[in-house]
Amino acid sequence: MKRYQALADTMAAEIRAGRLAVGTRLPSVRHLTTQYGVGQSTVFRAYYLLEEWGLIRARERSGYYVAPGATLPPQAPPPVPLTEPAPIDVSSLVFSVLDAVKRPDIVPLGSAFPSPALFPLARLAKSLAHAARMLDPWSTVVDMPPGNEQLRRQIALRYIGMGIAQPVDELIVTNGAMEALTLCLMAVTKPGDVVAIESPCFYAALQAVEHLGLRAVEIPVDPRDGLDLDVLAEALDKHPVRACWFMTNFQNPTGVTLAVEKKRALVALLAKHEVPLIEDDVYGELHFAQDRPPPAKAFDTKGLVMHCASLSKTLAPGYRLGWVAAGRHAGAIRRLKLMTSISTSIPIQAGIADYLQHGGFDKHLRKLRGALLAQRDAMEQAIARWLPPDVACVRPDGGYFMWLQLAGHVDAMQLHRRALEHGINVTPGPIFSARHAFGNHVRINFGHPWSPQIESAMKTLGTLLRAAS
Amino acid sequence: MKRYQALADTMAAEIRAGRLAVGTRLPSVRHLTTQYGVGQSTVFRAYYLLEEWGLIRARERSGYYVAPGATLPPQAPPPVPLTEPAPIDVSSLVFSVLDAVKRPDIVPLGSAFPSPALFPLARLAKSLAHAARMLDPWSTVVDMPPGNEQLRRQIALRYIGMGIAQPVDELIVTNGAMEALTLCLMAVTKPGDVVAIESPCFYAALQAVEHLGLRAVEIPVDPRDGLDLDVLAEALDKHPVRACWFMTNFQNPTGVTLAVEKKRALVALLAKHEVPLIEDDVYGELHFAQDRPPPAKAFDTKGLVMHCASLSKTLAPGYRLGWVAAGRHAGAIRRLKLMTSISTSIPIQAGIADYLQHGGFDKHLRKLRGALLAQRDAMEQAIARWLPPDVACVRPDGGYFMWLQLAGHVDAMQLHRRALEHGINVTPGPIFSARHAFGNHVRINFGHPWSPQIESAMKTLGTLLRAAS
């Protein structure tokens, strides 16, 4: 190992252990050359590495500071005991949070969506108009589930791009990923069954578990490492788990992506138990690194992974176009779809098929990823600038959410309410948990082009957080 | 009462009592003038009335014959005992029947849809293109449930046309009526609850009851008089019924419409028990008489009726645009919608709103009703021409289904299979029943412009039925 790497590791350990708090100015280069007996260039290269890791941030003409998120968790979290499967009771809290999203006067840091201004709505309208004009009347019958064949071929092509040979006849078009996820859950469970979900967890999964009368065992998700496979293995041994519902890439709310090796291990573990995985991968295309992180589906050899995705976050918000690559459950899901919603809108399917063929999806995606990356950086800077140094978060490598851990005594629900009074929506941690845990966490959306309004909202949040201390 | 009216009533009673069998030639005019001591013109006017009532049909140069369906039921049906609430188990039969609908080479007498050629798809495409081009990006957030405000105002206007002052904020836009019905059922039940459904019954209701883990008590529907309110009253007294799911106008499969007074009595009965009514009214606009039959919702004063409808059968097949006028359950249904499918497609909502405002919906409806009426008459003539005289059915006054009662020993399932071998799809009665009753009934679709292919299919059906005798 090179000297600068060793130095970076040493300093990273200091930072991660919390011995250098968030916002602390790092020692000067001169100080470090003396302390560690190394040359200036070694120190600089170590700094660059630490910056690349997201642990420190440079401020112009001021030096290096410990970055927000670098020290999460301040201490190792207490080991999470395996929860007993329990019925879910999501309070109306979720809805009060969601309702505020619709108000145009509210700064949408609590939104679940990126800004609709980031999408090629005019080009989509062109494809939709063309497809509607050309619509074969009989497509209203023929394109019923599993769905429009051209569209499913286009979707299958994208799987090839992920190294997955996806049979077209196992692809079922749905009304967004939400319907796909719900149908998967219905296909493999009956009321009273036990399912494994994440903690923290996309609240809609909690709601689905609730309204289908299932019981849930919660598997902890670490904001750096993702799902705890040891706890999952224990749950599978101990409970008759009928299905897992996990978000493998840029998880909502933590932003964490499961490493490839962990995905492989997850699929193998579930295959051993013959437990289906409902894989929610709606953010996978929003990666900031070069390559799209693969889904767990890529490692599935038994048809047990139901890979659910959509275009709602990547191309066409509001069109409600999603799908599931359903493996061995394709037949059951197609039938459930037919039963519960008959079909996905036929002109929408045809319009999206036209866009995917002619609209320049990949070019749009590159632009979108660039915009989200710039917004993430702006958000990180605003956090460093305005929020108290005891706010910690892990830098996400994709998607548009930051999961902030506030000081231990700060009540996220109270912050949510106070922020709303100031015209700002943030998503309080407790709505991501069946037991209303994460009482000192909030999820922040950076899916909107940076604006003075957002900057000012972050400043206000900082003021509210300091007042709460 | 005029003499010809009295004569018509007398003869109608004879026919309905089965004393004049289907296909029987009526006595000559001369015979009747003698028998009843009336003039020739009185006999003629009585005949015209009987023909108008659908009880007799003229054959050119041959005289009058008792029409198919005039004598259903041949005898009064045996009193139906109240069924015990039971879990539903719909076999995969339903799906094998539905799958055949998608095959373009099959004569679609078993289809659940009218011909897509009957709809103004080009005009709709224009509205959709316009709306997509004009789409405010923020509508992707703002038009989430309850849905696009312009659209809901247009829908509310149509309720005014039915004499109903429908608050816009109790209207929730859904992915077709199917989603509306399912959400209503979910909103007012939990697994294990008892609900009342019709027998025979739209099979999707059976499937919804099945997949939500409910138990059903079946209320008989008479093809002439509709729902048996006495049996319903008994069921309400005897079982903890949590909801009713009934189709009040042009019921699928029987085609029967509940009389206004029975609708009023139904709503009063349910109000007394505080039991919500999920009213499926997707065919109400397809009336052949002057006026649209009112929904039960028109008599609801307690917000207990959830009126579900759509444009799938009247305007825009495949668009998947429906709604529910949800009364006191509007809040719960809006939330369930948000949970399970997030939203109905935003451009679709905007496109339909544009069409309803500018597209000439009422003009289209008049044309559509005229086409369906002509097709009904053609189907009735084909039944008289080709099917054996022991096939009985009641003439429907709207919609596009005929419910045929075959001779007692004919097995509708076998007929379904034999017909498929001949490239013809008919819907066998057992899929409309939780207990696979109606073994000698089939539902025939007359929603397709008359064609030599359909004529030939009816002839083949006749041959198959005679062979089965």
Side-chain angles (χ1 to χ4, degrees):
Chain A
M1 189 186 284
K2 306 269 187 195
R3 291 196 72 173
Y4 74 90
Q5 289 174 324
L7 175 57
D9 280 351
T10 305
M11 293 184 67
E14 294 280 300
I15 292 169
R16 290 207 172 99
R19 281 192 285 275
L20 289 169
V22 168
T24 306
R25 194 176 186 282
L26 258 61
S28 68
V29 174
R30 175 178 302 179
H31 179 90
L32 287 174
T33 54
T34 312
Q35 186 179 342
Y36 292 101
V38 294
Q40 279 205 354
S41 75
T42 301
V43 173
F44 274 120
R45 294 182 73 178
Y47 273 15
Y48 293 150
L49 210 53
L50 288 168
E51 195 178 15
E52 199 179 308
W53 294 343
L55 295 177
I56 65 172
R57 309 286 282 163
R59 285 192 201 160
E60 234 176 307
R61 284 189 291 276
S62 164
Y64 282 93
Y65 291 79
V66 175
T71 60
L72 178 77
Q75 280 86 38
V80 180
L82 179 60
T83 61
E84 285 303 304
I88 298 282
D89 173 20
V90 185
S91 76
S92 61
L93 164 64
V94 174
F95 292 103
S96 80
V97 173
L98 292 182
D99 283 346
V101 172
K102 287 178 76 169
R103 290 175 48 192
D105 55 323
I106 297 278
V107 184
L109 300 177
S111 172
F113 309 102
S115 167
L118 295 173
F119 298 96
L121 294 180
R123 182 61 190 78
L124 276 166
K126 203 178 138 190
S127 274
L128 182 58
H130 177 76
R133 208 164 51 235
M134 295 293 148
L135 204 69
D136 173 359
W138 285 100
S139 67
T140 58
V141 177
V142 175
D143 290 353
M144 295 209 304
N148 180 298
E149 175 128 3
Q150 290 310 313
L151 174 60
R152 290 185 297 127
R153 288 197 185 285
Q154 289 294 324
I155 293 170
L157 282 177
R158 299 201 69 79
Y159 279 86
I160 290 176
M162 292 187 266
I164 299 172
Q166 174 57 47
V168 170
D169 61 6
E170 290 177 5
L171 282 172
I172 295 141
V173 179
T174 58
N175 302 328
M178 194 65 239
E179 187 187 45
L181 294 159
T182 308
L183 293 179
C184 289
L185 198 55
M186 283 168 53
V188 296
T189 63
K190 54 181 195 313
D193 279 354
V194 177
V195 295
I197 58 173
E198 298 163 327
S199 176
C201 171
F202 174 36
Y203 46 76
L206 299 172
Q207 293 172 318
V209 166
E210 178 185 5
H211 83 248
L212 293 177
L214 304 170
R215 292 174 300 147
V217 49
E218 295 183 271
I219 313 297
V221 172
D222 179 89
R224 267 186 214 288
D225 301 324
L227 197 73
D228 190 324
L229 292 187
D230 293 334
V231 176
L232 176 61
E234 190 189 336
L236 291 168
D237 284 337
K238 203 165 153 191
H239 299 297
V241 173
R242 295 286 173 234
C244 298
W245 175 338
F246 300 143
M247 199 178 281
T248 46
N249 295 319
F250 314 125
Q251 196 248 4
N252 181 0
T254 62
V256 70
T257 292
L258 216 53
V260 165
E261 278 319 305
K262 285 190 76 174
K263 281 176 181 146
R264 205 186 293 273
L266 168 64
V267 172
L269 177 64
L270 294 181
K272 197 180 81 181
H273 290 266
E274 288 276 330
V275 170
L277 170 61
I278 302 168
E279 183 176 27
D280 183 351
D281 190 20
V282 295
Y283 303 106
E285 293 280 7
L286 303 179
H287 51 91
F288 302 150
Q290 183 67 25
D291 296 321
R292 186 204 200 286
K297 178 82 180 169
F299 310 107
D300 179 29
T301 54
K302 300 179 81 172
L304 275 172
V305 178
M306 292 171 266
H307 182 252
C308 301
S310 86
L311 300 174
S312 301
K313 277 98 177 173
T314 55
L315 175 68
Y319 274 59
R320 306 306 307 142
L321 198 295
W323 65 85
V324 52
R328 66 165 79 163
H329 296 290
I333 289 169
R334 183 182 69 83
R335 289 172 171 207
L336 275 171
K337 163 80 185 168
L338 206 53
M339 262 194 232
T340 52
S341 75
I342 315 274
S343 170
T344 291
S345 177
I346 306 292
I348 292 291
Q349 291 189 65
I352 294 288
D354 183 273
Y355 177 90
L356 290 181
Q357 213 166 351
H358 307 294
F361 186 31
D362 283 302
K363 193 175 158 200
H364 154 69
L365 276 178
R366 281 193 295 275
K367 200 173 135 193
L368 175 62
R369 289 175 195 132
L372 292 177
L373 175 58
Q375 288 161 203
R376 181 201 68 181
D377 290 346
M379 181 58 84
E380 264 194 335
Q381 285 159 27
I383 289 171
R385 193 174 304 124
W386 302 116
L387 302 198
D390 52 11
V391 171
C393 77
V394 177
R395 165 192 282 192
D397 295 321
Y400 47 87
F401 293 131
M402 296 239 193
W403 182 237
L404 304 189
Q405 179 183 322
L406 313 175
H409 61 276
V410 176
D411 178 353
M413 283 310 306
Q414 200 172 1
L415 177 67
H416 165 72
R417 284 188 293 266
R418 294 295 313 279
L420 265 188
E421 288 165 15
H422 287 78
I424 304 162
N425 194 5
V426 296
T427 318
I431 79 169
F432 300 101
S433 159
R435 290 161 300 131
H436 296 181
F438 307 101
N440 67 327
H441 285 72
V442 293
R443 188 193 69 184
I444 299 271
N445 176 311
F446 60 81
H448 296 257
W450 204 256
S451 67
Q453 191 198 29
I454 295 178
E455 185 78 30
S456 159
M458 292 302 294
K459 183 176 174 185
T460 304
L461 277 187
T463 307
L464 293 175
L465 280 170
R466 285 198 179 78
S469 291
Chain B
M1 190 186 284
K2 306 268 189 196
R3 292 195 72 172
Y4 74 90
Q5 288 173 325
L7 176 57
D9 279 350
T10 306
M11 294 184 67
E14 295 280 301
I15 292 169
R16 288 209 173 97
R19 283 193 283 275
L20 288 169
V22 168
T24 307
R25 194 175 186 282
L26 257 61
S28 70
V29 175
R30 175 178 302 180
H31 179 92
L32 288 175
T33 54
T34 312
Q35 185 180 344
Y36 291 102
V38 294
Q40 280 205 353
S41 74
T42 300
V43 174
F44 274 119
R45 294 183 74 179
Y47 274 14
Y48 294 150
L49 211 50
L50 288 168
E51 195 178 16
E52 199 180 309
W53 293 344
L55 296 177
I56 65 172
R57 309 286 281 162
R59 286 191 200 160
E60 234 176 306
R61 281 187 293 275
S62 164
Y64 283 93
Y65 291 78
V66 175
T71 61
L72 179 77
Q75 280 85 37
V80 181
L82 178 60
T83 61
E84 286 302 303
I88 299 282
D89 172 22
V90 184
S91 76
S92 60
L93 165 63
V94 174
F95 292 104
S96 79
V97 173
L98 292 182
D99 283 346
V101 171
K102 287 178 76 169
R103 291 176 45 192
D105 57 322
I106 297 278
V107 183
L109 300 177
S111 172
F113 309 101
S115 166
L118 295 172
F119 297 95
L121 295 180
R123 182 62 189 77
L124 276 166
K126 202 178 139 190
S127 275
L128 183 57
H130 177 75
R133 210 164 50 235
M134 294 293 149
L135 204 68
D136 174 358
W138 284 99
S139 66
T140 59
V141 177
V142 175
D143 289 353
M144 295 208 304
N148 180 299
E149 175 128 4
Q150 290 309 313
L151 174 61
R152 290 185 297 127
R153 288 196 185 285
Q154 289 294 322
I155 293 170
L157 281 177
R158 299 201 69 79
Y159 279 85
I160 290 175
M162 294 186 266
I164 299 172
Q166 175 57 46
V168 171
D169 60 6
E170 290 177 6
L171 282 172
I172 296 142
V173 179
T174 58
N175 302 327
M178 193 64 239
E179 187 187 45
L181 293 159
T182 309
L183 293 179
C184 289
L185 198 55
M186 283 168 55
V188 296
T189 63
K190 55 182 195 311
D193 279 354
V194 177
V195 296
I197 59 174
E198 298 164 327
S199 176
C201 172
F202 174 36
Y203 45 76
L206 299 173
Q207 294 173 318
V209 167
E210 179 185 7
H211 83 248
L212 293 177
L214 304 170
R215 292 174 300 148
V217 49
E218 296 182 270
I219 313 297
V221 172
D222 180 89
R224 268 185 214 288
D225 301 324
L227 197 72
D228 189 326
L229 292 186
D230 294 334
V231 177
L232 176 62
E234 191 189 338
L236 291 168
D237 283 337
K238 204 164 153 191
H239 300 296
V241 173
R242 294 287 173 231
C244 298
W245 175 337
F246 299 144
M247 198 178 281
T248 47
N249 294 320
F250 315 124
Q251 195 248 4
N252 181 0
T254 63
V256 70
T257 292
L258 216 53
V260 165
E261 277 320 305
K262 285 190 76 174
K263 281 175 181 146
R264 206 187 294 273
L266 168 64
V267 172
L269 177 63
L270 294 180
K272 196 180 83 183
H273 291 267
E274 288 275 331
V275 170
L277 171 61
I278 302 168
E279 182 177 28
D280 183 352
D281 191 20
V282 295
Y283 303 106
E285 292 281 7
L286 303 179
H287 51 91
F288 302 150
Q290 184 67 25
D291 295 321
R292 185 204 200 286
K297 178 81 181 171
F299 310 108
D300 179 30
T301 54
K302 300 180 81 172
L304 274 172
V305 177
M306 292 171 266
H307 182 252
C308 302
S310 86
L311 300 175
S312 301
K313 278 98 178 173
T314 54
L315 175 68
Y319 274 58
R320 307 305 307 143
L321 199 294
W323 64 86
V324 50
R328 67 165 80 164
H329 296 289
I333 289 169
R334 184 181 68 82
R335 289 172 172 205
L336 274 171
K337 163 80 184 168
L338 206 53
M339 261 195 233
T340 53
S341 74
I342 316 274
S343 169
T344 291
S345 178
I346 306 293
I348 292 291
Q349 292 189 65
I352 294 288
D354 183 272
Y355 177 90
L356 291 180
Q357 212 166 352
H358 307 294
F361 186 33
D362 284 302
K363 194 175 158 201
H364 154 70
L365 276 178
R366 281 193 295 275
K367 201 173 135 194
L368 174 63
R369 290 175 194 131
L372 293 177
L373 175 58
Q375 290 162 201
R376 180 200 69 179
D377 290 348
M379 181 58 83
E380 263 194 336
Q381 284 159 28
I383 288 171
R385 194 174 305 126
W386 302 116
L387 302 198
D390 52 10
V391 171
C393 76
V394 178
R395 165 190 281 190
D397 295 322
Y400 47 87
F401 294 130
M402 296 240 193
W403 182 236
L404 304 188
Q405 179 182 321
L406 314 174
H409 59 277
V410 176
D411 178 352
M413 282 311 305
Q414 200 172 359
L415 177 68
H416 166 71
R417 283 187 294 266
R418 295 294 314 279
L420 264 188
E421 288 164 15
H422 288 78
I424 303 161
N425 194 5
V426 297
T427 317
I431 79 168
F432 300 101
S433 159
R435 290 162 299 131
H436 297 179
F438 308 103
N440 68 328
H441 286 72
V442 293
R443 188 193 69 185
I444 300 271
N445 176 311
F446 60 81
H448 296 257
W450 204 256
S451 67
Q453 191 198 28
I454 295 178
E455 185 78 31
S456 160
M458 291 303 294
K459 184 176 175 186
T460 304
L461 277 186
T463 308
L464 293 175
L465 281 169
R466 285 197 180 80
S469 289

